[in-house]
Amino acid sequence: MKKYLLLITSVVILSCASDNDFELLNKDPNNPTQVSAEALFTSATKSLFDQMESTNVNTNIFRLLSQYWTETTYIDESNYDFNTRNIPQNHWGEMYRDVLYDLKNAKANASTDKQKGMITVLEVYTWQQLVDTFGDIPYTNALQGKEEPTPAYDDDAVIYTNLLVRINSAITLLNASDAGFTGADIIYGGNIEKWKKLANSVKLKIAMRMADADNTTIAQTAAQEAVSAGVFTSNDDNATLAYQNSTPNTNPLWVDLVQSNRSDFVVANTIVDYMNTIEDPRRATYFDNNLGAGIYTGGTYGDNNTFSVYTHIGDRMYDPTFRGVLLDYAEVSFLLAEARERNYTVGGTAESHYTDGITASMLDWGVESSDINDYLANPAVNYTTATGTWRQKIGFQFWLAMYNRGFEGWCIYRKYDAPRMNTAVISGLPVPNRYTYPLNEPTLNAINYQAAATAIGGDLQATKVFWDIN
């Protein structure tokens, strides 16, 4: 759990994949040495949500990379300076240490197959996130503590193939006759049918992410199997976390936007200009009306922006109880739209799934049905009449729907090459294709770091992960 992991020294924390004395360093004479699978599972789940929801510039800048938001005074991160604040290192540490280590230990202590299946679903989700962020990462030999202090990096495409194996294993385990987590499950409260849908939806996501790079039928087969077994079918299936009113259980956005008493972010002109052009009704909840009713002006991406002059972030994101999201029906719908364009046998049409994705997003953000219908009838939105290739149409609306899920917005841009993004004003840099590796890896894991950097074509922001081939 996070509570007892705080005793790890700073060097170890910053290089979790290479932890030498994990078990020894976590011994505390004032606390039990054995932590239950339930406690570890809950801790890992919350850590995963917190990391994906956070907008702390030291740990999570995905809303900036996706150009949903931009900064006001301190603009290093919106100009893609990763290393002044050690952002890759902090993200890497959080995901390995507070999510994957806890899940590994939870699985070791789990008493049933269903519990192990639930754990595996979150493990797969987290590993995919790390691959999509960095490319090649320590995987096979990671999390071994002193037995493997300097783990080798695995090829990102190979990891993806193995993640399909692992998610299939999770699905099998979820079908076991024993019991899963109940009170410890802060996503679905022990509803195994929901977990099965989540597992299949994660499988679909993996399949569609790798579809461009797959020269066989692996992606198609996995996608079709997932849909046949049952993916999300409505917003009721969304994998969400209900945050609470008081710390440490508020949405991390509240800590970063309200408790900090800072004015570091405004919405970016990138998304505001696009949404203004098509009169998107989600503007009323995505954004604030601080400039007047229906007036939205985004801050110039990557430039200094006076907080009072530009549109602020919507009120919902200032609510301490604002729900966290790992995966939702809108995302699944857009993935299915792409699958149909690839002629995968997943039912429906590309247009119907595209429409479902837009509708699901708008309903989730409280848009009225009449406004949804008007929006879908807009020739610039309607799937038949909107301009561009299927990649551009799906990618653009998918990106709009993932507002506040910055990591997914960044992945969508890289995968679909849509929409067109702005160049950061001060640095003049384009949107990065990946996080560079943590700064301590060349020192603490030098041989394997160098091998990985060489294998991917250089430890650079411009280097692409394996599925980003367009």
Side-chain angles (χ1 to χ4, degrees):
M1 292 178 70
K2 188 178 293 184
K3 289 182 180 178
Y4 67 81
L5 289 172
L6 291 177
L7 296 177
I8 303 174
T9 62
S10 59
V11 171
V12 176
I13 285 176
L14 296 176
S15 183
C16 298
S18 306
D19 183 0
N20 275 313
D21 297 293
F22 175 73
E23 294 180 0
L24 179 62
L25 289 167
N26 280 298
K27 289 185 177 180
D28 183 347
N30 298 314
N31 291 293
T33 58
Q34 292 295 321
V35 183
S36 70
E38 287 78 8
L40 288 162
F41 181 70
T42 300
S43 176
T45 302
K46 185 174 182 297
S47 292
L48 178 57
F49 271 96
D50 284 354
Q51 178 59 14
M52 300 308 292
E53 287 291 314
S54 173
T55 192
N56 186 310
V57 291
N58 295 291
T59 60
N60 181 341
I61 61 168
F62 295 128
R63 290 179 185 83
L64 300 176
L65 297 187
S66 53
Q67 297 195 7
Y68 295 140
W69 298 357
T70 190
E71 294 171 295
T72 54
T73 303
Y74 305 103
I75 60 174
D76 291 345
E77 294 73 36
S78 55
N79 283 279
Y80 312 131
D81 177 354
F82 290 168
N83 290 322
T84 295
R85 298 182 191 269
N86 292 326
I87 297 163
Q89 197 155 285
N90 293 332
H91 180 68
W92 175 286
E94 182 71 15
M95 298 297 264
Y96 274 106
R97 178 191 64 237
D98 289 339
V99 181
L100 289 170
Y101 264 131
D102 275 8
L103 290 174
K104 177 185 176 182
N105 289 334
K107 185 177 286 185
N109 294 336
S111 59
T112 71
D113 283 344
K114 271 198 174 79
Q115 289 180 353
K116 293 175 183 177
M118 296 163 77
I119 293 166
T120 302
V121 173
L122 295 188
E123 286 179 324
V124 170
Y125 184 100
T126 306
W127 283 119
Q128 183 188 18
Q129 203 281 342
L130 282 167
V131 170
D132 292 352
T133 303
F134 293 99
D136 292 5
I137 56 170
Y139 177 68
T140 303
N141 295 323
L143 309 177
Q144 301 301 312
K146 62 184 179 181
E147 295 178 5
E148 187 60 73
T150 55
Y153 289 59
D154 292 63
D155 178 83
D156 50 4
V158 174
I159 296 173
Y160 250 64
T161 301
N162 185 255
L163 291 180
L164 287 176
V165 174
R166 293 177 72 160
I167 200 66
N168 284 336
S169 172
I171 292 166
T172 299
L173 293 170
L174 291 171
N175 283 309
S177 59
D178 50 23
F181 294 112
T182 53
D185 173 16
I186 56 177
I187 302 177
Y188 293 124
N191 187 326
I192 294 299
E193 294 307 311
K194 296 288 189 183
W195 275 95
K196 291 177 184 178
K197 285 189 174 184
L198 175 59
N200 284 305
S201 298
V202 169
K203 182 176 177 178
L204 173 66
K205 179 176 179 176
I206 294 169
M208 300 316 300
R209 193 84 96 212
M210 67 189 291
D212 285 330
D214 179 28
N215 294 319
T216 63
T217 60
I218 294 175
Q220 180 175 358
T221 299
Q224 292 174 176
E225 288 175 349
V227 174
S228 178
V231 295
F232 289 174
T233 56
S234 75
N235 281 337
D236 289 338
D237 297 324
N238 294 351
T240 61
L241 175 62
Y243 282 102
Q244 300 175 12
N245 273 308
S246 58
T247 56
N249 296 317
T250 63
N251 189 308
L253 283 173
W254 182 84
V255 175
D256 299 328
L257 298 178
V258 180
Q259 189 180 62
S260 68
N261 196 31
R262 297 173 64 91
S263 302
D264 290 331
F265 304 101
V266 292
V267 291
N269 61 333
T270 311
I271 189 169
V272 173
D273 291 349
Y274 280 126
M275 295 184 82
N276 282 342
T277 299
I278 55 178
E279 298 183 342
D280 194 308
R282 285 169 291 193
R283 289 174 297 172
T285 51
Y286 279 11
F287 313 141
D288 192 19
N289 285 304
N290 58 293
L291 300 182
I295 300 173
Y296 307 106
T297 304
T300 303
Y301 187 79
D303 203 356
N304 293 105
N305 294 283
T306 302
F307 185 73
S308 61
V309 173
Y310 296 103
T311 295
H312 298 168
I313 298 156
D315 287 343
R316 288 186 67 181
M317 282 160 279
Y318 286 82
D319 183 345
T321 65
F322 185 49
R323 85 288 185 272
V325 183
L326 287 187
L327 200 153
D328 60 23
Y329 176 52
E331 181 177 358
V332 167
S333 296
F334 286 113
L335 295 174
L336 291 173
E338 178 190 349
R340 286 300 299 127
E341 285 289 0
R342 294 180 181 276
N343 294 316
Y344 293 1
T345 306
V346 296
T349 65
E351 181 177 5
S352 67
H353 292 305
Y354 168 92
T355 299
D356 287 345
I358 295 171
T359 302
S361 170
M362 292 197 169
L363 289 174
D364 188 46
W365 285 88
V367 177
E368 297 291 335
S369 295
S370 58
D371 291 332
I372 297 174
N373 292 333
D374 289 343
Y375 182 76
L376 291 170
N378 184 336
V381 175
N382 184 276
Y383 197 70
T384 302
T385 56
T387 60
T389 65
W390 67 260
R391 283 180 175 279
Q392 292 169 326
K393 289 188 281 191
I394 293 173
F396 176 55
Q397 288 295 336
F398 198 170
W399 176 76
L400 289 178
M402 293 297 103
Y403 179 73
N404 196 46
R405 293 183 60 201
F407 177 73
E408 296 307 329
W410 180 43
C411 289
I412 289 161
Y413 168 71
R414 291 181 290 161
K415 167 74 186 291
Y416 296 94
D417 298 299
R420 183 175 180 179
M421 296 288 201
N422 289 314
T423 300
V425 167
I426 301 301
S427 68
L429 294 173
V431 177
N433 293 321
R434 59 181 288 275
Y435 270 14
T436 48
Y437 290 127
L439 290 176
N440 65 356
E441 281 294 291
T443 301
L444 299 180
N445 195 11
I447 295 174
N448 292 315
Y449 161 80
Q450 190 55 57
T454 300
I456 65 175
D459 183 18
L460 307 169
Q461 292 183 4
T463 301
K464 295 185 175 184
V465 298
F466 83 98
W467 49 254
D468 183 8
I469 64 174
N470 293 302

